[in-house]
Amino acid sequence: MGSRGRRGRRTVWAAGVGAAGLVLVTATGAHAEGVGDIRVVSTVVNGGDNVHIGTTKVVTFPIAVTVRDNSGVKGLSHIGTYSWANGWGFIDWTRTSCVKKSSTTSVCTATMTVDPAWIGGFSDGDENKDAGVWAVDANVRANDGNYWIYDNIAQYKVKRASRLTTNAAPEPVAKGKTLTVTGKLSRANWEDLKYHGFAGQTVKLQYRKAGTAHYATVKTVKTNSTGGLSTKVTATSSGSWRYYFPGTTTTARIVSTGDAVVLK
């Protein structure tokens, strides 16, 4: 099960029956082939959210596949996921379960697991290049023996996890005086399983006045060569300051913890 450790352009061979013969499924584009009227209706990865991978925590997420066949759905005989750019994957299928919605339709959910150590454990390429768009394939089976082999039934994003800090000083501060708000943006490096500063990124400095419910953006700040942030603002009231990073196609969005500053 799973696709951990696969290298090079992804290729899956599946034994067919009858005229179908031997079926080749590749990551070069969407492809489906099989026997009978069983079909995948929809696929939802991680509830529609991106998947964020850090440096130590094992991450699990669901892939829910809605399947339909006139005889009823038997289940998934395979499900896999792979980097669209590289055509291979490090994510394992650990278990599946199907919930019958009608006599013809079931939702089969696979639990996918990824350990960051699998990513950094390879030595023949930059594992960080695997961040970005990933695709899903699946083999589905019906009660009457019909089956269908699908490639690229859904796409989603696997992103490098990020960290962000905020510190406003001095605390407390006199009204009208200058506050210096510092912080640091870093992201997971899947090669050495450590977090490194993320340089040249635009981050929003946000403020929430004491007694109010929402933050508002005050200005934008760029990270320096080590991911550091620093800017100056005028203290006009007591409240909390925080940095917000909207993310990129390969790096997760993140909001720092707010740092409360009181006027003296």
Side-chain angles (χ1 to χ4, degrees):
M1 291 188 294
S3 50
R4 175 163 53 112
R6 202 177 288 152
R7 275 289 167 186
R9 174 58 60 185
R10 178 183 171 278
T11 303
V12 176
W13 287 94
V17 296
L22 196 63
V23 178
L24 175 64
V25 182
T26 72
T28 56
H31 184 86
E33 195 164 342
V35 173
D37 58 358
I38 185 170
R39 295 293 184 271
V40 168
V41 177
S42 65
T43 305
V44 179
V45 180
N46 199 31
D49 293 332
N50 298 322
V51 176
H52 300 162
I53 310 297
T55 59
T56 58
K57 183 181 178 181
V58 174
V59 175
T60 62
F61 63 94
I63 299 179
V65 184
T66 301
V67 186
R68 179 185 298 135
D69 184 83
N70 288 341
S71 69
V73 177
K74 185 174 182 179
L76 301 173
S77 59
H78 163 80
I79 190 164
T81 182
Y82 52 92
S83 165
W84 189 246
N86 295 334
W88 72 281
F90 53 78
I91 296 173
D92 267 351
W93 161 30
T94 57
R95 61 183 180 274
T96 63
S97 62
C98 292
V99 176
K100 187 176 180 179
K101 296 299 183 180
S102 71
S103 61
T104 62
T105 305
S106 295
V107 177
C108 296
T109 301
T111 299
M112 313 303 289
T113 301
V114 55
D115 185 333
W118 297 345
I119 313 169
F122 299 108
S123 59
D124 56 348
D126 180 3
E127 308 306 338
N128 294 313
K129 291 180 181 178
D130 293 317
V133 177
W134 279 57
V136 178
D137 62 15
N139 298 0
V140 297
R141 295 192 176 273
N143 290 329
D144 61 4
N146 290 346
Y147 74 91
W148 212 257
I149 301 170
Y150 283 93
D151 186 61
N152 191 23
I153 57 175
Q155 294 187 351
Y156 65 104
K157 288 181 179 178
V158 175
K159 295 190 175 188
R160 297 162 66 177
S162 54
R163 291 176 175 174
L164 185 58
T165 61
T166 301
N167 181 59
E171 301 178 51
V173 64
K175 184 175 182 178
K177 295 298 183 179
T178 298
L179 271 175
T180 300
V181 187
T182 58
K184 183 172 183 178
L185 174 66
S186 56
R187 63 174 174 170
N189 184 311
W190 293 338
E191 287 291 305
D192 60 8
L193 299 180
K194 296 178 181 179
Y195 278 82
H196 297 270
F198 196 7
Q201 300 304 302
T202 299
V203 179
K204 297 179 180 181
L205 177 65
Q206 299 182 329
Y207 176 69
R208 178 175 62 82
K209 186 177 180 179
T212 63
H214 303 290
Y215 280 86
T217 298
V218 175
K219 62 167 68 174
T220 59
V221 185
K222 274 211 167 184
T223 58
N224 63 21
S225 60
T226 60
L229 291 157
S230 182
T231 190
K232 296 183 183 299
V233 293
T234 300
T236 58
S237 60
S238 297
S240 297
W241 297 89
R242 73 179 188 187
Y243 280 115
Y244 164 68
F245 174 59
T248 69
T249 57
T250 61
T251 305
R253 66 177 290 276
I254 191 167
V255 180
S256 74
T257 301
D259 186 18
V261 176
V262 177
L263 293 186
K264 62 180 179 181

